[in-house]
Coordinates of all heavy atoms in Angstrom, one line a residue:
M183 N 53.2 -15.1 -43.6 CA 52.9 -15.0 -42.2 C 54.2 -14.7 -41.5 O 55.2 -15.4 -41.8 CB 52.3 -16.3 -41.8 CG 51.8 -16.2 -40.3 SD 51.0 -17.7 -39.8 CE 49.5 -17.6 -40.8
R184 N 54.2 -13.8 -40.6 CA 55.4 -13.4 -39.9 C 55.2 -13.6 -38.4 O 54.2 -13.2 -37.9 CB 55.8 -12.0 -40.1 CG 56.1 -11.7 -41.5 CD 56.2 -10.2 -41.8 NE 56.5 -9.9 -43.2 CZ 57.6 -9.4 -43.6 NH1 58.6 -9.0 -42.8 NH2 57.8 -9.1 -44.9
I185 N 56.2 -14.2 -37.8 CA 56.1 -14.4 -36.3 C 57.4 -13.7 -35.8 O 58.5 -14.1 -36.1 CB 56.2 -15.9 -36.0 CG1 55.0 -16.6 -36.6 CG2 56.2 -16.1 -34.4 CD1 55.0 -18.1 -36.4
H186 N 57.1 -12.7 -35.0 CA 58.2 -11.9 -34.3 C 58.2 -12.2 -32.8 O 57.2 -12.2 -32.2 CB 57.9 -10.4 -34.5 CG 57.9 -9.9 -35.9 ND1 59.1 -9.7 -36.6 CD2 56.9 -9.7 -36.8 CE1 58.8 -9.3 -37.8 NE2 57.5 -9.3 -38.0
I187 N 59.4 -12.5 -32.4 CA 59.6 -12.8 -30.9 C 60.8 -11.9 -30.4 O 61.8 -11.8 -31.0 CB 60.0 -14.3 -30.7 CG1 58.9 -15.2 -31.3 CG2 60.2 -14.6 -29.3 CD1 59.3 -16.6 -31.4
Q188 N 60.5 -11.2 -29.3 CA 61.5 -10.4 -28.7 C 61.6 -10.9 -27.2 O 60.7 -10.9 -26.5 CB 61.2 -8.9 -28.7 CG 62.3 -8.1 -28.1 CD 61.9 -6.6 -28.3 OE1 61.0 -6.2 -28.9 NE2 62.8 -5.8 -27.7
T189 N 62.9 -11.3 -26.8 CA 63.1 -11.9 -25.5 C 63.3 -10.8 -24.5 O 63.5 -9.6 -24.8 CB 64.2 -12.9 -25.5 OG1 65.4 -12.2 -25.9 CG2 64.0 -14.0 -26.5
E190 N 63.5 -11.2 -23.2 CA 63.7 -10.3 -22.1 C 65.1 -9.6 -22.3 O 65.3 -8.5 -21.9 CB 63.7 -11.0 -20.8 CG 62.4 -11.5 -20.4 CD 62.2 -13.0 -20.9 OE1 63.1 -13.5 -21.5 OE2 61.1 -13.5 -20.7
T191 N 66.1 -10.3 -22.9 CA 67.4 -9.8 -23.1 C 67.5 -8.8 -24.3 O 68.5 -8.2 -24.5 CB 68.4 -10.9 -23.3 OG1 68.0 -11.7 -24.4 CG2 68.5 -11.8 -22.1
G192 N 66.4 -8.6 -25.0 CA 66.4 -7.7 -26.1 C 66.7 -8.4 -27.5 O 66.7 -7.7 -28.5
K193 N 66.9 -9.7 -27.5 CA 67.2 -10.4 -28.7 C 65.9 -10.6 -29.5 O 64.9 -10.8 -28.9 CB 67.8 -11.7 -28.5 CG 69.2 -11.6 -27.9 CD 69.9 -12.9 -27.8 CE 71.2 -12.7 -27.1 NZ 72.3 -13.2 -27.8
R194 N 66.0 -10.5 -30.8 CA 64.8 -10.6 -31.7 C 65.0 -11.8 -32.6 O 66.0 -12.0 -33.1 CB 64.6 -9.3 -32.5 CG 64.3 -8.1 -31.6 CD 64.0 -6.9 -32.5 NE 63.7 -5.8 -31.6 CZ 63.3 -4.6 -32.1 NH1 63.2 -4.4 -33.4 NH2 63.1 -3.6 -31.3
L195 N 63.8 -12.4 -32.9 CA 63.8 -13.5 -33.8 C 62.6 -13.3 -34.7 O 61.5 -13.0 -34.2 CB 63.6 -14.8 -33.1 CG 63.5 -16.1 -33.9 CD1 64.7 -16.3 -34.7 CD2 63.2 -17.3 -33.0
C196 N 62.8 -13.4 -36.0 CA 61.7 -13.2 -36.9 C 61.6 -14.4 -37.8 O 62.6 -14.8 -38.5 CB 61.9 -11.9 -37.8 SG 60.6 -11.6 -39.0
L197 N 60.5 -15.1 -37.8 CA 60.2 -16.3 -38.6 C 59.3 -15.9 -39.7 O 58.2 -15.4 -39.5 CB 59.7 -17.4 -37.8 CG 60.5 -17.8 -36.6 CD1 59.8 -18.8 -35.7 CD2 61.8 -18.4 -37.0
L198 N 59.6 -16.2 -41.0 CA 58.8 -15.9 -42.1 C 58.3 -17.2 -42.7 O 59.1 -18.1 -43.0 CB 59.5 -15.1 -43.2 CG 60.1 -13.8 -42.7 CD1 61.0 -13.2 -43.8 CD2 59.0 -12.8 -42.3
F199 N 57.0 -17.4 -42.9 CA 56.4 -18.6 -43.5 C 55.6 -18.2 -44.6 O 54.8 -17.2 -44.5 CB 55.6 -19.4 -42.4 CG 56.3 -20.0 -41.3 CD1 56.3 -19.4 -40.1 CD2 57.1 -21.1 -41.5 CE1 57.0 -19.9 -39.0 CE2 57.8 -21.7 -40.4 CZ 57.7 -21.1 -39.2
P200 N 55.6 -18.9 -45.7 CA 54.7 -18.6 -46.8 C 53.3 -18.9 -46.4 O 53.0 -20.0 -45.8 CB 55.1 -19.5 -48.0 CG 56.5 -19.9 -47.6 CD 56.6 -19.9 -46.1
T201 N 52.4 -18.0 -46.6 CA 51.0 -18.1 -46.1 C 50.3 -19.3 -46.8 O 49.6 -20.1 -46.1 CB 50.2 -16.9 -46.4 OG1 50.9 -15.8 -45.8 CG2 48.8 -16.9 -45.8
R202 N 50.6 -19.6 -48.0 CA 50.0 -20.7 -48.7 C 50.5 -22.0 -48.1 O 49.8 -23.0 -48.1 CB 50.4 -20.7 -50.2 CG 49.6 -19.8 -51.0 CD 48.3 -20.4 -51.3 NE 47.5 -19.5 -52.1 CZ 46.3 -19.7 -52.4 NH1 45.7 -20.9 -52.1 NH2 45.6 -18.9 -53.1
L203 N 51.7 -22.1 -47.6 CA 52.2 -23.3 -46.9 C 51.5 -23.5 -45.6 O 51.2 -24.7 -45.2 CB 53.7 -23.1 -46.7 CG 54.4 -24.3 -46.0 CD1 54.4 -25.5 -46.9 CD2 55.9 -23.9 -45.6
M204 N 51.2 -22.5 -44.9 CA 50.6 -22.6 -43.6 C 49.1 -22.8 -43.7 O 48.5 -23.4 -42.8 CB 50.9 -21.4 -42.7 CG 52.3 -21.1 -42.5 SD 53.1 -22.4 -41.5 CE 52.4 -22.0 -39.9
L205 N 48.4 -22.2 -44.7 CA 47.0 -22.2 -44.8 C 46.5 -22.8 -46.1 O 46.1 -22.2 -47.0 CB 46.5 -20.7 -44.7 CG 46.9 -19.9 -43.5 CD1 46.4 -18.5 -43.7 CD2 46.3 -20.5 -42.3
N206 N 46.7 -24.2 -46.2 CA 46.2 -24.9 -47.4 C 45.3 -26.1 -47.0 O 45.0 -26.3 -45.8 CB 47.4 -25.3 -48.2 CG 48.3 -26.3 -47.4 OD1 47.9 -27.0 -46.6 ND2 49.6 -26.2 -47.7
R207 N 44.9 -26.8 -48.0 CA 43.9 -27.9 -47.8 C 44.5 -29.0 -47.0 O 43.9 -29.6 -46.1 CB 43.5 -28.4 -49.2 CG 42.5 -29.5 -49.1 CD 42.0 -29.9 -50.5 NE 41.1 -28.9 -50.9 CZ 40.1 -29.2 -51.8 NH1 40.1 -30.3 -52.4 NH2 39.3 -28.2 -52.2
L208 N 45.8 -29.3 -47.2 CA 46.5 -30.4 -46.5 C 46.6 -30.0 -45.0 O 46.3 -30.9 -44.1 CB 47.8 -30.7 -47.1 CG 48.7 -31.7 -46.3 CD1 48.0 -33.1 -46.4 CD2 50.1 -31.8 -46.9
T209 N 47.0 -28.8 -44.7 CA 47.1 -28.3 -43.3 C 45.7 -28.4 -42.6 O 45.6 -28.8 -41.5 CB 47.7 -26.9 -43.3 OG1 48.9 -26.9 -44.0 CG2 47.9 -26.5 -41.9
A210 N 44.7 -28.0 -43.4 CA 43.3 -28.1 -42.8 C 42.9 -29.5 -42.4 O 42.4 -29.8 -41.4 CB 42.3 -27.5 -43.8
A211 N 43.2 -30.5 -43.3 CA 42.9 -31.9 -43.0 C 43.7 -32.4 -41.8 O 43.1 -33.1 -41.0 CB 43.2 -32.7 -44.3
V212 N 45.0 -32.1 -41.7 CA 45.8 -32.5 -40.6 C 45.3 -31.9 -39.3 O 45.2 -32.6 -38.3 CB 47.3 -32.2 -40.9 CG1 48.1 -32.4 -39.7 CG2 47.8 -33.0 -42.0
A213 N 45.0 -30.6 -39.3 CA 44.6 -29.9 -38.1 C 43.2 -30.5 -37.7 O 43.0 -30.7 -36.5 CB 44.5 -28.4 -38.4
A214 N 42.3 -30.8 -38.6 CA 41.0 -31.3 -38.2 C 41.2 -32.7 -37.6 O 40.5 -33.0 -36.6 CB 40.1 -31.4 -39.5
G215 N 42.1 -33.5 -38.1 CA 42.4 -34.8 -37.6 C 43.0 -34.7 -36.1 O 42.6 -35.5 -35.3
I216 N 43.9 -33.8 -35.9 CA 44.4 -33.6 -34.6 C 43.4 -33.1 -33.6 O 43.3 -33.6 -32.5 CB 45.6 -32.6 -34.7 CG1 46.8 -33.2 -35.4 CG2 46.0 -32.1 -33.3 CD1 47.9 -32.3 -35.7
L217 N 42.5 -32.2 -34.0 CA 41.4 -31.7 -33.2 C 40.4 -32.8 -32.9 O 39.9 -32.9 -31.7 CB 40.7 -30.5 -33.8 CG 41.5 -29.2 -33.8 CD1 40.7 -28.2 -34.6 CD2 41.7 -28.7 -32.4
R218 N 40.2 -33.7 -33.8 CA 39.2 -34.8 -33.6 C 39.8 -35.8 -32.6 O 39.1 -36.2 -31.7 CB 39.0 -35.5 -35.0 CG 37.9 -36.5 -34.9 CD 37.5 -37.1 -36.2 NE 38.6 -37.2 -37.2 CZ 38.7 -36.4 -38.3 NH1 37.8 -35.4 -38.5 NH2 39.7 -36.5 -39.2
R219 N 41.1 -36.1 -32.6 CA 41.7 -36.9 -31.6 C 41.8 -36.3 -30.3 O 41.6 -36.9 -29.2 CB 43.1 -37.3 -32.1 CG 43.1 -38.5 -33.0 CD 44.5 -39.0 -33.4 NE 44.8 -38.2 -34.6 CZ 46.0 -37.7 -34.9 NH1 47.0 -37.8 -34.0 NH2 46.2 -37.1 -36.0
R220 N 42.0 -35.0 -30.2 CA 42.1 -34.3 -28.9 C 40.7 -34.1 -28.3 O 40.7 -34.0 -27.1 CB 42.7 -32.9 -29.1 CG 44.1 -32.9 -29.6 CD 45.0 -32.8 -28.5 NE 46.4 -32.8 -29.1 CZ 47.4 -32.6 -28.4 NH1 47.3 -32.3 -27.1 NH2 48.6 -32.7 -28.9
R221 N 39.7 -34.1 -29.1 CA 38.3 -33.9 -28.6 C 38.0 -35.1 -27.6 O 37.2 -34.9 -26.7 CB 37.4 -33.8 -29.7 CG 36.0 -33.3 -29.3 CD 35.1 -33.0 -30.5 NE 35.8 -32.8 -31.7 CZ 35.6 -33.5 -32.9 NH1 34.7 -34.4 -32.9 NH2 36.2 -33.2 -34.0
E222 N 38.5 -36.3 -27.9 CA 38.2 -37.4 -27.0 C 38.9 -37.3 -25.7 O 38.3 -37.7 -24.7 CB 38.7 -38.7 -27.7 CG 38.0 -39.0 -29.0 CD 38.7 -40.1 -29.8 OE1 39.8 -40.6 -29.4 OE2 38.3 -40.4 -30.9
K223 N 40.1 -36.7 -25.6 CA 40.8 -36.5 -24.3 C 40.5 -35.3 -23.6 O 40.5 -35.3 -22.4 CB 42.3 -36.6 -24.6 CG 42.8 -37.9 -25.2 CD 44.2 -37.8 -25.6 CE 44.7 -39.1 -26.3 NZ 46.0 -39.0 -26.7
A224 N 40.3 -34.2 -24.3 CA 40.1 -32.9 -23.6 C 39.0 -32.1 -24.4 O 38.5 -32.5 -25.4 CB 41.4 -32.1 -23.6
A225 N 38.7 -30.9 -23.9 CA 37.7 -30.1 -24.5 C 38.3 -29.3 -25.7 O 38.9 -28.3 -25.5 CB 37.1 -29.1 -23.5
A226 N 38.2 -29.9 -26.9 CA 38.7 -29.3 -28.1 C 37.5 -28.9 -28.9 O 36.4 -29.6 -28.9 CB 39.6 -30.2 -28.9
P227 N 37.6 -27.8 -29.7 CA 36.4 -27.4 -30.5 C 36.1 -28.5 -31.6 O 37.0 -29.2 -32.1 CB 36.9 -26.1 -31.2 CG 38.3 -26.1 -31.1 CD 38.7 -27.0 -29.9
D228 N 34.8 -28.5 -32.0 CA 34.4 -29.5 -33.0 C 34.4 -28.7 -34.4 O 33.4 -28.1 -34.8 CB 33.0 -30.0 -32.7 CG 32.5 -31.0 -33.6 OD1 33.4 -31.6 -34.3 OD2 31.3 -31.2 -33.7
I229 N 35.5 -28.8 -35.1 CA 35.7 -28.1 -36.3 C 36.1 -29.1 -37.4 O 37.0 -29.9 -37.2 CB 36.8 -27.0 -36.2 CG1 36.4 -26.0 -35.2 CG2 37.0 -26.3 -37.6 CD1 37.5 -24.9 -35.0
S230 N 35.3 -29.1 -38.5 CA 35.6 -30.1 -39.6 C 36.7 -29.5 -40.5 O 37.0 -28.3 -40.5 CB 34.3 -30.3 -40.4 OG 34.0 -29.2 -41.1
S231 N 37.2 -30.4 -41.4 CA 38.2 -30.0 -42.3 C 37.6 -28.9 -43.3 O 38.3 -28.0 -43.7 CB 38.6 -31.2 -43.1 OG 39.5 -30.9 -44.1
R232 N 36.3 -29.1 -43.7 CA 35.7 -28.1 -44.6 C 35.6 -26.7 -43.9 O 35.8 -25.7 -44.6 CB 34.3 -28.6 -44.9 CG 33.5 -27.7 -45.8 CD 32.2 -28.2 -46.0 NE 32.0 -28.3 -47.5 CZ 31.1 -28.9 -48.1 NH1 30.2 -29.6 -47.5 NH2 31.0 -28.9 -49.4
E233 N 35.3 -26.7 -42.6 CA 35.2 -25.4 -41.9 C 36.6 -24.7 -41.8 O 36.7 -23.5 -42.0 CB 34.6 -25.6 -40.6 CG 33.1 -25.9 -40.6 CD 32.6 -26.4 -39.2 OE1 33.4 -26.8 -38.4 OE2 31.4 -26.2 -39.0
L234 N 37.6 -25.6 -41.6 CA 39.0 -25.0 -41.5 C 39.4 -24.5 -42.9 O 40.1 -23.5 -43.0 CB 40.0 -26.1 -41.0 CG 40.0 -26.3 -39.5 CD1 40.9 -27.5 -39.2 CD2 40.4 -25.1 -38.8
R235 N 39.1 -25.2 -44.0 CA 39.4 -24.7 -45.3 C 38.8 -23.4 -45.6 O 39.4 -22.5 -46.1 CB 39.0 -25.7 -46.4 CG 39.9 -26.9 -46.5 CD 39.7 -27.6 -47.8 NE 38.3 -27.9 -48.1 CZ 37.7 -29.1 -48.0 NH1 38.4 -30.1 -47.7 NH2 36.4 -29.2 -48.3
H236 N 37.5 -23.2 -45.2 CA 36.8 -21.9 -45.3 C 37.5 -20.8 -44.5 O 37.7 -19.7 -45.0 CB 35.4 -22.1 -44.9 CG 34.6 -20.8 -45.1 ND1 34.3 -20.3 -46.3 CD2 34.1 -20.0 -44.2 CE1 33.6 -19.2 -46.1 NE2 33.5 -19.0 -44.8
L237 N 37.9 -21.1 -43.3 CA 38.6 -20.2 -42.4 C 40.0 -19.8 -43.1 O 40.3 -18.6 -43.1 CB 38.9 -20.8 -41.0 CG 39.8 -20.0 -40.1 CD1 39.1 -18.7 -39.7 CD2 40.1 -20.8 -38.9
F238 N 40.7 -20.8 -43.6 CA 42.0 -20.5 -44.2 C 41.8 -19.7 -45.5 O 42.6 -18.8 -45.7 CB 42.7 -21.8 -44.6 CG 43.2 -22.6 -43.4 CD1 43.8 -23.8 -43.5 CD2 43.2 -22.1 -42.1 CE1 44.2 -24.6 -42.4 CE2 43.6 -22.8 -41.0 CZ 44.2 -24.0 -41.2
R239 N 40.8 -19.9 -46.2 CA 40.5 -19.1 -47.4 C 40.2 -17.7 -47.1 O 40.7 -16.8 -47.7 CB 39.3 -19.7 -48.2 CG 39.1 -19.1 -49.6 CD 38.0 -19.8 -50.3 NE 38.0 -21.2 -50.3 CZ 37.0 -22.0 -49.9 NH1 35.9 -21.5 -49.5 NH2 37.2 -23.3 -49.9
T240 N 39.5 -17.5 -46.0 CA 39.2 -16.2 -45.5 C 40.4 -15.4 -45.0 O 40.6 -14.3 -45.3 CB 38.1 -16.2 -44.4 OG1 37.0 -16.9 -44.9 CG2 37.7 -14.8 -43.9
L241 N 41.3 -16.1 -44.3 CA 42.6 -15.5 -43.9 C 43.5 -15.1 -45.0 O 44.1 -14.1 -45.0 CB 43.3 -16.5 -42.9 CG 42.7 -16.6 -41.5 CD1 43.4 -17.7 -40.8 CD2 42.8 -15.3 -40.8
R242 N 43.5 -16.0 -46.1 CA 44.3 -15.6 -47.3 C 43.8 -14.4 -48.0 O 44.5 -13.5 -48.4 CB 44.4 -16.8 -48.3 CG 45.3 -17.9 -47.8 CD 45.6 -18.9 -48.9 NE 44.4 -19.4 -49.5 CZ 43.8 -20.6 -49.3 NH1 44.2 -21.3 -48.3 NH2 42.7 -20.9 -49.9
R243 N 42.4 -14.3 -48.0 CA 41.8 -13.1 -48.6 C 42.1 -11.9 -47.8 O 42.4 -10.8 -48.3 CB 40.3 -13.3 -48.7 CG 39.7 -13.0 -50.0 CD 38.2 -13.2 -50.1 NE 38.0 -14.6 -50.4 CZ 37.0 -15.4 -49.9 NH1 36.2 -14.9 -49.0 NH2 36.8 -16.6 -50.2
M244 N 42.1 -12.0 -46.5 CA 42.4 -10.9 -45.6 C 43.8 -10.4 -45.7 O 44.1 -9.3 -45.6 CB 42.1 -11.3 -44.1 CG 40.6 -11.3 -43.8 SD 40.3 -11.8 -42.1 CE 41.2 -10.6 -41.2
K245 N 44.7 -11.4 -46.0 CA 46.1 -11.0 -46.2 C 46.3 -10.1 -47.4 O 47.1 -9.2 -47.4 CB 47.0 -12.3 -46.3 CG 48.4 -11.9 -46.5 CD 49.3 -13.0 -46.7 CE 50.7 -12.5 -46.8 NZ 51.7 -13.1 -47.5
R246 N 45.6 -10.4 -48.5 CA 45.6 -9.6 -49.7 C 45.1 -8.2 -49.4 O 45.6 -7.2 -49.9 CB 44.9 -10.3 -50.8 CG 45.8 -11.2 -51.6 CD 45.1 -11.8 -52.8 NE 44.6 -13.1 -52.5 CZ 43.4 -13.5 -52.6 NH1 42.5 -12.8 -53.2 NH2 43.0 -14.8 -52.3
R247 N 44.0 -8.1 -48.7 CA 43.3 -6.9 -48.5 C 43.9 -6.0 -47.4 O 43.9 -4.8 -47.4 CB 41.8 -7.1 -48.2 CG 41.1 -7.6 -49.4 CD 39.6 -7.9 -49.0 NE 39.0 -8.5 -50.2 CZ 37.8 -9.1 -50.1 NH1 37.2 -9.2 -48.9 NH2 37.3 -9.6 -51.2
H248 N 44.4 -6.7 -46.4 CA 45.0 -6.0 -45.2 C 46.4 -6.6 -44.9 O 46.5 -7.3 -43.9 CB 44.1 -6.2 -44.0 CG 42.7 -5.8 -44.2 ND1 42.2 -4.5 -44.4 CD2 41.6 -6.6 -44.4 CE1 40.9 -4.5 -44.7 NE2 40.5 -5.8 -44.6
P249 N 47.4 -6.3 -45.7 CA 48.7 -6.8 -45.4 C 49.3 -6.3 -44.0 O 49.1 -5.1 -43.7 CB 49.6 -6.4 -46.5 CG 48.9 -5.2 -47.2 CD 47.4 -5.4 -46.8
G250 N 49.9 -7.2 -43.3 CA 50.5 -6.8 -42.0 C 49.5 -6.8 -40.8 O 49.8 -6.4 -39.7
L251 N 48.3 -7.3 -41.1 CA 47.3 -7.4 -40.0 C 47.7 -8.3 -38.9 O 48.1 -9.4 -39.1 CB 46.0 -7.9 -40.6 CG 44.8 -8.1 -39.7 CD1 44.2 -6.7 -39.4 CD2 43.7 -8.9 -40.3
P252 N 47.7 -7.8 -37.6 CA 48.1 -8.6 -36.5 C 47.0 -9.7 -36.2 O 45.9 -9.3 -36.0 CB 48.3 -7.7 -35.4 CG 47.6 -6.4 -35.8 CD 47.4 -6.4 -37.2
L253 N 47.4 -10.9 -36.1 CA 46.5 -12.0 -35.7 C 46.6 -12.2 -34.2 O 45.6 -12.3 -33.5 CB 46.9 -13.3 -36.4 CG 46.6 -13.4 -37.9 CD1 47.1 -14.7 -38.4 CD2 45.2 -13.1 -38.2
V254 N 47.8 -12.2 -33.6 CA 48.0 -12.4 -32.2 C 49.2 -11.5 -31.7 O 50.2 -11.5 -32.4 CB 48.4 -13.9 -31.9 CG1 48.7 -14.1 -30.4 CG2 47.3 -14.8 -32.3
E255 N 49.0 -10.9 -30.6 CA 50.1 -10.1 -30.0 C 50.0 -10.4 -28.5 O 49.0 -10.3 -27.9 CB 49.9 -8.6 -30.2 CG 50.2 -8.2 -31.6 CD 50.1 -6.7 -31.8 OE1 49.6 -6.0 -30.9 OE2 50.7 -6.2 -32.8
V256 N 51.2 -10.9 -27.9 CA 51.2 -11.3 -26.5 C 52.4 -10.6 -25.9 O 53.5 -10.6 -26.4 CB 51.4 -12.8 -26.4 CG1 51.5 -13.2 -25.0 CG2 50.3 -13.5 -27.1
W257 N 52.2 -9.9 -24.8 CA 53.2 -9.3 -24.0 C 53.3 -9.9 -22.6 O 52.2 -10.1 -22.0 CB 53.0 -7.8 -23.8 CG 53.0 -7.0 -25.0 CD1 54.1 -6.6 -25.7 CD2 51.9 -6.6 -25.8 NE1 53.7 -5.9 -26.8 CE2 52.3 -5.9 -26.9 CE3 50.5 -6.8 -25.7 CZ2 51.5 -5.4 -27.9 CZ3 49.6 -6.3 -26.6 CH2 50.1 -5.6 -27.7
S258 N 54.4 -10.3 -22.1 CA 54.5 -10.8 -20.7 C 55.1 -9.7 -19.8 O 55.6 -8.7 -20.3 CB 55.4 -12.0 -20.7 OG 56.8 -11.7 -20.8
T259 N 55.1 -9.9 -18.5 CA 55.6 -9.0 -17.6 C 57.1 -8.9 -17.7 O 57.7 -7.9 -17.3 CB 55.2 -9.3 -16.2 OG1 55.7 -10.6 -15.9 CG2 53.7 -9.2 -16.0
G260 N 57.8 -9.9 -18.2 CA 59.2 -9.9 -18.3 C 59.7 -9.4 -19.6 O 60.8 -9.6 -20.1
C261 N 58.9 -8.6 -20.3 CA 59.2 -8.0 -21.6 C 59.3 -8.9 -22.8 O 60.0 -8.6 -23.7 CB 60.5 -7.1 -21.5 SG 60.3 -5.7 -20.4
L262 N 58.8 -10.1 -22.7 CA 58.7 -11.0 -23.8 C 57.6 -10.6 -24.7 O 56.5 -10.5 -24.2 CB 58.6 -12.5 -23.3 CG 58.4 -13.5 -24.4 CD1 59.8 -13.7 -25.1 CD2 58.0 -14.8 -23.8
V263 N 57.8 -10.5 -26.0 CA 56.8 -10.0 -26.9 C 56.7 -11.1 -28.0 O 57.8 -11.4 -28.6 CB 57.1 -8.6 -27.5 CG1 56.1 -8.2 -28.5 CG2 57.3 -7.6 -26.4
V264 N 55.6 -11.5 -28.3 CA 55.3 -12.5 -29.5 C 54.2 -11.9 -30.3 O 53.1 -11.5 -29.8 CB 54.9 -13.9 -29.0 CG1 54.6 -14.8 -30.2 CG2 56.0 -14.5 -28.1
S265 N 54.4 -11.7 -31.6 CA 53.4 -11.2 -32.5 C 53.4 -12.0 -33.7 O 54.4 -12.4 -34.3 CB 53.8 -9.7 -32.8 OG 53.8 -9.4 -34.1
I266 N 52.1 -12.4 -34.2 CA 51.9 -13.1 -35.4 C 51.1 -12.2 -36.3 O 50.0 -11.8 -36.0 CB 51.2 -14.4 -35.1 CG1 52.0 -15.3 -34.2 CG2 50.9 -15.2 -36.4 CD1 51.3 -16.6 -33.8
R267 N 51.7 -12.0 -37.5 CA 51.0 -11.1 -38.5 C 50.9 -11.8 -39.8 O 51.6 -12.6 -40.2 CB 51.8 -9.8 -38.7 CG 52.0 -9.0 -37.4 CD 52.8 -7.7 -37.7 NE 52.9 -6.9 -36.5 CZ 52.1 -5.9 -36.2 NH1 51.1 -5.6 -37.1 NH2 52.2 -5.2 -35.1
L268 N 49.8 -11.3 -40.5 CA 49.6 -11.9 -41.9 C 50.6 -11.2 -42.8 O 51.0 -10.1 -42.7 CB 48.2 -11.6 -42.4 CG 47.1 -12.5 -41.8 CD1 45.8 -12.1 -42.3 CD2 47.4 -14.0 -42.1

Protein backbone atom coordinates (compact mmCIF):
# COMPACT_ATOMS: atom_id res chain seq x y z
CA MET A 1 0.00 0.00 0.00
CA ARG A 2 1.40 3.38 -0.99
CA ILE A 3 0.41 6.74 0.43
CA HIS A 4 1.57 9.73 -1.63
CA ILE A 5 1.34 13.26 -0.24
CA GLN A 6 2.26 16.43 -2.14
CA THR A 7 2.14 19.71 -0.23
CA GLU A 8 1.43 23.25 -1.43
CA THR A 9 5.16 23.99 -1.51
CA GLY A 10 5.73 21.10 -3.92
CA LYS A 11 7.39 18.75 -1.40
CA ARG A 12 6.48 15.11 -1.81
CA LEU A 13 6.24 12.34 0.75
CA CYS A 14 5.75 8.69 -0.13
CA LEU A 15 4.93 6.15 2.59
CA LEU A 16 5.16 2.46 1.73
CA PHE A 17 3.41 -0.10 3.95
CA PRO A 18 3.32 -3.85 3.39
CA THR A 19 -0.28 -4.68 2.52
CA ARG A 20 -0.23 -7.78 4.73
CA LEU A 21 0.76 -5.61 7.69
CA MET A 22 -2.14 -3.22 7.11
CA LEU A 23 -4.81 -5.76 6.10
CA ASN A 24 -4.58 -8.75 8.43
CA ARG A 25 -6.71 -10.53 11.04
CA LEU A 26 -5.24 -8.61 14.01
CA THR A 27 -5.86 -5.25 12.32
CA ALA A 28 -9.45 -6.31 11.60
CA ALA A 29 -10.03 -7.22 15.26
CA VAL A 30 -8.51 -3.93 16.50
CA ALA A 31 -10.49 -1.85 13.99
CA ALA A 32 -13.74 -3.65 14.90
CA GLY A 33 -13.10 -2.93 18.59
CA ILE A 34 -12.45 0.75 17.92
CA LEU A 35 -15.60 1.02 15.79
CA ARG A 36 -17.63 -0.73 18.49
CA ARG A 37 -16.46 1.80 21.12
CA ARG A 38 -17.05 4.76 18.79
CA ARG A 39 -20.56 3.57 17.96
CA GLU A 40 -21.61 4.39 21.54
CA LYS A 41 -20.40 8.01 21.24
CA ALA A 42 -21.08 8.85 17.60
CA ALA A 43 -22.61 7.43 14.45
CA ALA A 44 -20.08 4.76 13.43
CA PRO A 45 -20.89 1.85 11.12
CA ASP A 46 -21.82 -1.51 12.63
CA ILE A 47 -19.08 -3.73 11.15
CA SER A 48 -17.94 -6.95 12.80
CA SER A 49 -14.43 -8.35 12.84
CA ARG A 50 -15.53 -11.12 10.47
CA GLU A 51 -16.85 -8.59 7.92
CA LEU A 52 -13.62 -6.59 8.11
CA ARG A 53 -11.57 -9.75 7.53
CA HIS A 54 -13.66 -10.46 4.43
CA LEU A 55 -13.14 -6.87 3.22
CA PHE A 56 -9.38 -7.09 3.84
CA ARG A 57 -9.19 -10.43 1.99
CA THR A 58 -10.99 -8.87 -0.97
CA LEU A 59 -8.61 -5.89 -0.98
CA ARG A 60 -5.56 -8.20 -0.95
CA ARG A 61 -7.04 -10.13 -3.89
CA MET A 62 -7.65 -6.85 -5.74
CA LYS A 63 -4.03 -5.83 -5.15
CA ARG A 64 -2.83 -8.97 -6.92
CA ARG A 65 -5.23 -8.53 -9.85
CA HIS A 66 -5.04 -4.73 -10.18
CA PRO A 67 -1.69 -3.43 -8.87
CA GLY A 68 -1.59 0.33 -8.36
CA LEU A 69 -5.37 0.64 -8.04
CA PRO A 70 -6.23 3.99 -6.39
CA LEU A 71 -8.32 3.62 -3.22
CA VAL A 72 -8.51 7.32 -2.29
CA GLU A 73 -7.43 10.49 -4.09
CA VAL A 74 -7.98 13.89 -2.49
CA TRP A 75 -7.13 17.31 -3.94
CA SER A 76 -7.49 20.57 -2.02
CA THR A 77 -7.73 24.08 -3.39
CA GLY A 78 -4.25 24.84 -2.03
CA CYS A 79 -2.69 22.13 -4.25
CA LEU A 80 -2.41 19.55 -1.47
CA VAL A 81 -2.71 16.09 -3.00
CA VAL A 82 -3.14 12.84 -1.02
CA SER A 83 -3.42 9.51 -2.80
CA ILE A 84 -3.67 5.99 -1.36
CA ARG A 85 -3.00 3.13 -3.78
CA LEU A 86 -2.83 -0.62 -3.47
